[in-house]
Amino acid sequence: MICCGEIDALAPETLSILQEQTRAIFETLPDVILCVIINPAGEVVAHDSNGAIIPLHPLVSNISLMKRALLDFGASINAAAPCPAVHAKGETQAISCFTVGPNVLGVVSEAHPTTIEWYSPSAAESAIQPFLQALTQTFTSSVTE
């Protein structure tokens, strides 16, 4: 299922591009079950669950809280720059949050426990980098238009 929000804030062309970009993440990265873009207010801008019915509210809230906690932690230690990514993994799921301009891209993967055990945050960051660049460009273009 693909869904976009914030219709008034983003042009329909931008929303269409965001849909294509979230779809590309599913087609390229293994085991992804949810891809969601969340704005600074904690609202869903776009999401794709590849046809699965996934309750968004708890995930979006937790992804927003993860990113906010990371920013607060960075501020408390006077970090020179905010951390661009945060990862958490459980027994069968891994959640990665990436900074995309002022927004957050949350990617949830689900796999066998052995696969998740070997989940590598650095490999996830390398694999997602082209998508982050494309999403950042889309948001930058939508602001300048």
Side-chain angles (χ1 to χ4, degrees):
M1 167 186 253
I2 297 174
C3 177
C4 287
E6 293 294 296
I7 302 299
D8 295 334
L10 295 172
E13 299 82 21
T14 302
L15 294 175
S16 177
I17 292 168
L18 291 172
Q19 289 174 336
E20 291 171 15
Q21 290 169 332
T22 57
R23 170 59 47 197
I25 291 170
F26 274 100
E27 294 172 354
T28 307
L29 302 179
D31 306 319
V32 173
I33 62 167
L34 177 67
C35 180
V36 61
I37 301 170
I38 305 165
N39 70 14
E43 301 165 331
V44 174
V45 174
H47 82 277
D48 189 337
S49 58
N50 203 24
I53 306 296
I54 297 174
L56 279 181
H57 179 70
L59 283 170
V60 169
S61 295
N62 288 328
I63 289 169
S64 294
L65 286 172
M66 281 175 63
K67 187 62 177 179
R68 192 170 306 127
L70 187 64
L71 292 172
D72 289 347
F73 177 74
S76 72
I77 61 168
N78 295 320
C83 183
V86 61
H87 308 275
K89 66 180 181 177
E91 189 174 314
T92 61
Q93 290 186 335
I95 299 173
S96 297
C97 302
F98 303 94
T99 299
V100 181
N103 305 292
V104 174
L105 169 67
V107 179
V108 180
S109 300
E110 186 171 66
H112 188 274
T114 304
T115 303
I116 293 296
E117 182 179 326
W118 291 98
Y119 173 81
S120 165
S122 61
E125 289 177 25
S126 294
I128 200 81
Q129 194 59 44
F131 300 104
L132 296 176
Q133 291 171 345
L135 288 165
T136 300
Q137 180 61 40
T138 299
F139 281 110
T140 302
S141 297
S142 72
V143 170
T144 59
E145 292 176 352

